[in-house]
């Protein structure tokens, strides 16, 4: 069993609550906010903004179009945190399980966005998911620019 854990943090100008709202309640807007990275996010079960909801992402990963079906495990509006568990898709070819948590913390000016990736590799040869971390960084920058533009 090869368990991995990666984290990355970025400072953004947008308010934490607004950033959190995009991930927790409006992921279907990503194809407009970050079209170079996200081609679509569809609702499969449940309701936008509710834990237990199943969504399906169409995205570009290292220049290749891929798909990930995820269940929203937890939404914490007080901590501006959303946790996703991958239940189908390309990532499960390399990883036995894959969890993603995105959390935004309000600062005096702007916010700090923290991404946490927890996963179990299918084998020791499987690399850490650096491409997914980069995708998260790119999405964060796109959401920040979108929210600042709308403010």
């Amino acid at each position: 069993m090869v368990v991995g854990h990666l984290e990355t943090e970025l400072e953004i100008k947008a308010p934490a609550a607004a950033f959190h709202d995009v991930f927790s309640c409006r992921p279907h807007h990503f194809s407009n906010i970050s079209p170079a990275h996200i081609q679509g996010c569809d609702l499969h079960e449940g309701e936008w903004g509710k834990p237990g909801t199943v969504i399906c992402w169409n995205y570009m990963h290292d220049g290749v179009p891929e798909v990930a079906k995820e269940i929203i495990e937890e939404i914490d509006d007080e901590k501006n945190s959303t946790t996703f568990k991958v239940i189908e898709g390309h990532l499960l070819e390399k990883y036995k399980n894959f969890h993603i948590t995105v959390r935004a913390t309000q600062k005096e000016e702007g916010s700090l966005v923290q991404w946490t990736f927890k996963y179990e590799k299918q084998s020791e040869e499987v690399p850490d998911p650096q491409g997914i971390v980069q995708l998260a960084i790119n999405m964060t920058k796109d959401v920040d620019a979108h929210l600042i533009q709308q403010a």
Side-chain angles (χ1 to χ4, degrees), residues 21-73:
D21 182 63
V22 173
F23 279 90
S24 65
C25 298
R26 298 185 292 132
H28 51 295
H29 290 203
F30 266 102
S31 57
N32 296 327
I33 295 171
S34 188
H37 306 291
I38 305 296
Q39 285 67 56
C41 182
D42 301 317
L43 182 66
H44 279 238
E45 286 178 37
E47 192 178 324
W48 294 118
K50 303 282 185 201
T53 295
V54 176
I55 59 177
C56 187
W57 297 88
N58 291 292
Y59 62 100
M60 294 299 286
H61 175 232
D62 294 336
V64 178
E66 295 198 357
V67 175
K69 192 182 230 183
E70 298 176 342
I71 187 166
I72 299 174
E73 288 195 316

Side-chain angles (χ1 to χ4, degrees), residues 59 61 66-68 70 86 88-96 98 100 122 129 132:
Y59 62 100
H61 175 232
E66 295 198 357
V67 175
E70 298 176 342
V86 178
E88 284 180 31
H90 294 91
L91 285 172
L92 295 185
E93 294 169 7
K94 296 179 181 175
Y95 305 96
K96 291 179 184 174
F98 205 97
I100 303 164
Q122 295 281 7
I132 295 295

Side-chain angles (χ1 to χ4, degrees), residues 13-150:
K13 294 182 173 93
F19 183 87
H20 168 66
D21 182 63
V22 173
F23 279 90
S24 65
C25 298
R26 298 185 292 132
H28 51 295
H29 290 203
F30 266 102
S31 57
N32 296 327
I33 295 171
S34 188
H37 306 291
I38 305 296
Q39 285 67 56
C41 182
D42 301 317
L43 182 66
H44 279 238
E45 286 178 37
E47 192 178 324
W48 294 118
K50 303 282 185 201
T53 295
V54 176
I55 59 177
C56 187
W57 297 88
N58 291 292
Y59 62 100
M60 294 299 286
H61 175 232
D62 294 336
V64 178
E66 295 198 357
V67 175
K69 192 182 230 183
E70 298 176 342
I71 187 166
I72 299 174
E73 288 195 316
E74 182 182 2
I75 295 174
D76 186 331
D77 292 330
E78 280 185 29
K79 294 182 179 175
N80 293 314
S81 173
T82 306
T83 301
F84 302 90
K85 176 183 179 183
V86 178
I87 56 174
E88 284 180 31
H90 294 91
L91 285 172
L92 295 185
E93 294 169 7
K94 296 179 181 175
Y95 305 96
K96 291 179 184 174
N97 58 58
F98 205 97
H99 291 80
I100 303 164
T101 301
V102 57
R103 179 178 178 178
T105 305
Q106 188 63 47
K107 296 173 58 179
E108 208 169 295
E109 285 189 35
S111 310
L112 182 66
V113 173
Q114 180 183 36
W115 287 87
T116 305
F117 304 88
K118 295 180 182 176
Y119 49 90
E120 183 181 345
K121 298 177 183 183
Q122 295 281 7
S123 69
E124 288 188 29
E125 292 75 43
V126 172
D128 289 324
Q130 296 295 344
I132 295 295
V133 173
Q134 188 58 53
L135 175 64
I137 290 168
N138 293 339
M139 289 170 63
T140 299
K141 291 176 180 177
D142 288 346
V143 170
D144 188 37
H146 173 78
L147 292 171
I148 294 305
Q149 186 179 16
Q150 293 207 319

